[in-house]
Amino acid sequence: MFIAMNRFKILKGHEDAFETVWRERDSKLDKVPGFQTFNLLKGAFDEETGTTLYATHTVWNSQDDFVNWTKSEHFRQAHKNAGSNKAMYAGHPNFEGFESVLSE
């Protein structure tokens, strides 16, 4: 199993818009070989930076399945408008990938 996560810092006041972008996106993940699940996670608001932490969390059968998706037309379509919402972000998303070593 492979878990792919992107962490986003969203500027105060843009949380609802950020969640709407994800809720209303045209996800094709269910058509991608090896995809298992997707979650959008909301963390705490950071008073010091004026941001709310979010993370996307996807589970894949393997790292190869994830990498194949990143090279696919589905990936290009899913990310084609990513730059149009820059005003809500405090910086670029941070990617983290994990191989499962223990699962219960």
Side-chain angles (χ1 to χ4, degrees), residues 40-59:
L40 177 63
L41 309 172
K42 183 177 183 179
F45 178 74
D46 184 328
E47 291 283 344
E48 190 174 310
T49 63
T51 61
T52 300
L53 179 63
Y54 283 86
T56 56
H57 175 270
T58 54
V59 179

Side-chain angles (χ1 to χ4, degrees), residues 7-11 18 51 85-94:
R7 297 165 58 93
F8 304 86
K9 290 184 179 178
I10 302 304
L11 297 169
F18 180 76
T51 61
N85 297 310
K86 286 183 181 180
M88 65 178 72
Y89 297 93
H92 295 286
N94 293 314

Side-chain angles (χ1 to χ4, degrees), residues 14-51:
H14 292 276
E15 295 88 351
D16 288 343
F18 180 76
E19 291 175 23
T20 297
V21 166
W22 285 95
R23 191 175 291 110
E24 295 180 357
R25 76 196 194 291
D26 184 18
S27 174
K28 304 271 194 265
L29 286 172
D30 61 340
K31 297 173 177 32
V32 178
F35 170 76
Q36 292 183 21
T37 63
F38 169 87
N39 290 285
L40 177 63
L41 309 172
K42 183 177 183 179
F45 178 74
D46 184 328
E47 291 283 344
E48 190 174 310
T49 63
T51 61

Side-chain angles (χ1 to χ4, degrees), residues 68-95:
N68 289 337
W69 173 69
T70 65
K71 297 176 181 179
S72 73
E73 183 60 27
H74 289 303
F75 180 88
R76 283 187 287 284
Q77 288 298 315
H79 293 85
K80 67 181 176 185
N81 296 320
S84 63
N85 297 310
K86 286 183 181 180
M88 65 178 72
Y89 297 93
H92 295 286
N94 293 314
F95 173 78

